[in-house]
Amino acid sequence: MILRPLHRLLVKLLEVERRLEPFFRPQLNHLLREPTAALLQWLINVRRQDDGLQIAQERCYEWEQQALDDIIRLMAAQMRGHFTPGKFERGGNTKTHGLVRGTVTIRDDLPLHMRVGLFATPRSYPAWIRFSGPGPDVPRDIQDVGFGSMAMKIMDVPGPKIMDDERFTQDMMGVVTPTFVTRNTRDNARLQDWSLRDMPIYYFLNPFDSHLLDFLMQGLWNETQYNPLGQRYYSCVPYLLGEGQAMQYSFVPKTPVPRNIPGVPFGSVPGNYLRDNMVRTLDEKGVEFDLMLQLQTDPHRMPIENAGVRWPEKLSPFIAAAVIRIPRQTFNSMAQFDFTRQLTINPWHCLHEHRPLGNQSRARRRMYYELSRLRIHENRTEHYEPTGDEVFE
């Protein structure tokens, strides 16, 4: 069958390109990324119909349940195929670059209408922050698809939560692309099917069911990663900001960090150079991110149910809502990495004021729960709600 050898060739070409990118990609991004993204978004939007929804209004679809069942079945099969009992990793955002301590400090100058839920009171919260790479396997960093994620488990958060398996946590997560890899969960199920067959590129390039525009949007931001502590991350999907308001959020780096990649273009690149750069950074200094919020102001141009559409900043600019501080620290002990496997990160660990919105988020509630329970069962561990007081040797 020609599909599999051709896919392997495309993956190899991508790895070569990743080694060359540091020498041309920054300049290309500066000149062409935003104009190209604007063109792609115009092509995506021109084919969309206006569903007539209001601000923060959702629409459920008849195919959601079947798509969710398929995603859970396919991702569970991937996990069983890639990992052995006792060493199960997550099905997505799989490779842990580092789990670090931090604090989230809510600003005291937020506009009144944004002082809701987590952002209601200017104060600091402890947080565990996980930086990770793509799934479903754990490749050498230079061999991945140029994708990264940042997930925060904010602790000591008072108030009733939507999921009752954790009482004091608010989970927030972002990825390096401003749009999600699939528009909706029906598309996501198709992607997981190709991924289980180890040929995910064909989800995008299949001439009978093409998702080329989404592929190109992802490609504008999927690039050789340098240091997880110096990358911007986007929520990609919306959340409530109190009744009648919807938001997306972003983690925006503020601190210059080391970005060198030993061995490029064609030498021996360390398999975990991203972790190495994190270690080098936090040995020397702390880093900061701005936690920024973007309010939905146009329900069609800024949709709830289509995660492939980028919310235009011209319609609604991001507003700084909190500062994420990661102090100098040592984080690369084996015990701390093992602790990462015990953490369950789910956007539904949240205050009711920040309920996740849209079909991707509705699916995440059960998908993340069931896949985390599979991982915990196979690793013979238990679900654990952290407090921030954990100590590792």
Side-chain angles (χ1 to χ4, degrees), residues 223-247:
E223 58 184 321
T224 303
Q225 299 295 303
Y226 298 90
N227 187 329
L229 296 170
Q231 176 66 55
R232 182 172 182 175
Y233 302 88
Y234 304 84
S235 68
C236 293
V237 294
Y239 299 82
L240 279 181
L241 184 61
E243 195 61 36
Q245 291 190 125
M247 67 171 179

Side-chain angles (χ1 to χ4, degrees), residues 97 141 270-281 331:
H97 301 312
D141 290 341
N272 299 310
Y273 75 84
L274 291 172
R275 182 186 306 169
D276 295 342
N277 279 347
M278 285 184 65
V279 170
R280 186 175 300 111
T281 301
F331 66 88

Side-chain angles (χ1 to χ4, degrees), residues 281-295:
T281 301
L282 296 181
D283 277 348
E284 298 173 357
K285 59 184 176 183
V287 301
E288 293 186 355
F289 289 79
D290 276 327
L291 196 171
M292 306 192 77
L293 309 183
Q294 182 187 29
L295 290 179

Side-chain angles (χ1 to χ4, degrees), residues 23-37:
F23 303 98
F24 70 86
R25 186 64 182 261
Q27 297 81 5
L28 202 64
N29 288 345
H30 179 73
L31 292 173
L32 297 178
R33 181 151 68 182
E34 287 300 334
T36 305

